Amino acid sequence: MDVKIQDSWKAHLQQEFEKPYFKDLVAFVKSEYQQHTVYPPGKHIFQAFEACPFEAVKVVIIGQDPYHGPGQANGLCFSVNKGVPMPPSLVNIFKEIKNDLGKELPPDGDLMRWATQGVLLLNATLTVRAHQAGSHQKKGWENFTDAVIKAVNEQKEKVVFLLWGAYAQKKGQMIDKQKHLVLQSVHPSPLSAYNGFFGNQHFSKANAYLKAADKTSIEW
């Protein structure tokens, strides 16, 4: 199956595209886009991969679902387009960056500026029906994004994985902690941020690790 995904990722994931689950997933997603409002826009489903080619990956942040409100989801986890109000979790991420690195909150929540520096902003599920959180879970996306994490884990060295919340931590169980840096904390959601997200210093720790590995740090 020919999937429109960035070429370096296609080389690592081609065998996934031939598996029965992926063909079923494609049929499901096409049907959903035809019959319902689905986010992100179809052309942005693989935006995280387009913005951050395989060879460029230095940091992986794992999210769960795309945002399911109008105009929010843009294919990068936690990110929203310019001009869209920042969701509470994203505000808390920027608050921790300010606490950790002293940087002021940015004018918008578009994380493309991170992606182009080598941050793979990966949702476990890449599509969602409008206003129905979790509606595209357990349809095959999780198998695919597990394969993405496996490819990075096995074929790259010294990558930082940021796992926020129980869901991301479970999904990241396969990561080799001898080979990569795995930073874990509670989720930045307002429900949990004060229980360990604030003060986790993940952004400075990630940059220190990258610097020690002779990689360029991220301008968070």
Side-chain angles (χ1 to χ4, degrees):
M1 179 178 291
D2 183 34
V3 177
K4 291 182 172 61
I5 193 170
Q6 201 272 343
D7 287 346
S8 66
W9 285 103
K10 185 176 280 193
H12 290 279
L13 298 170
Q14 187 59 48
Q15 61 188 20
E16 292 301 306
F17 303 146
E18 306 306 325
K19 292 179 179 178
Y21 88 82
F22 196 85
K23 294 177 181 181
D24 291 344
L25 172 63
V26 168
F28 167 76
V29 170
K30 282 183 176 175
S31 170
E32 285 286 290
Y33 273 91
Q34 287 166 0
Q35 297 178 50
H36 305 280
T37 300
V38 176
Y39 301 123
K43 65 183 179 182
H44 290 154
I45 292 173
F46 294 116
Q47 182 83 311
F49 305 93
E50 297 300 324
C52 184
F54 185 86
E55 59 272 10
V57 176
K58 293 187 286 191
V59 179
V60 179
I61 300 178
I62 298 176
Q64 192 164 353
D65 258 12
Y67 296 122
H68 52 82
Q72 290 182 302
N74 62 10
L76 309 175
C77 74
F78 292 105
S79 175
V80 291
N81 290 317
K82 290 180 175 68
V84 176
M86 292 186 212
S89 292
L90 184 55
V91 171
N92 285 342
I93 289 169
F94 288 131
K95 283 182 179 176
E96 175 54 23
I97 290 171
K98 184 177 182 181
N99 295 339
D100 189 12
L101 301 172
K103 296 188 61 161
E104 292 302 318
L105 270 63
D108 64 74
D110 186 353
L111 301 183
M112 182 61 78
R113 56 186 175 271
W114 293 2
T116 54
Q117 295 180 74
V119 182
L120 178 65
L121 293 157
L122 181 68
N123 273 319
T125 304
L126 299 189
T127 55
V128 68
R129 197 185 291 184
H131 309 298
Q132 294 184 38
S135 50
H136 286 188
Q137 290 178 6
K138 299 181 180 171
K139 301 294 184 182
W141 277 130
E142 293 91 343
N143 303 57
F144 173 70
T145 51
D146 279 351
V148 172
I149 295 166
K150 186 167 183 261
V152 174
N153 177 53
E154 292 180 354
Q155 298 171 47
K156 294 189 70 72
E157 302 282 342
K158 298 187 184 308
V159 172
V160 181
F161 289 85
L162 302 182
L163 308 181
W164 300 330
Y167 184 91
Q169 288 160 24
K170 186 177 180 185
K171 194 164 180 72
Q173 284 176 342
M174 70 179 84
I175 300 161
D176 183 348
K177 294 180 180 178
Q178 304 301 312
K179 194 177 170 187
H180 306 289
L181 178 64
V182 177
L183 297 174
Q184 302 188 158
S185 79
V186 299
H187 195 274
S189 157
L191 298 173
S192 57
Y194 286 95
N195 294 325
F197 183 78
F198 292 136
N200 67 21
Q201 298 182 316
H202 280 184
F203 304 97
S204 59
K205 288 174 182 176
N207 278 351
Y209 181 82
L210 292 173
K211 189 174 180 182
D214 293 324
K215 298 184 180 186
T216 311
S217 59
I218 305 298
E219 189 61 46
W220 301 105

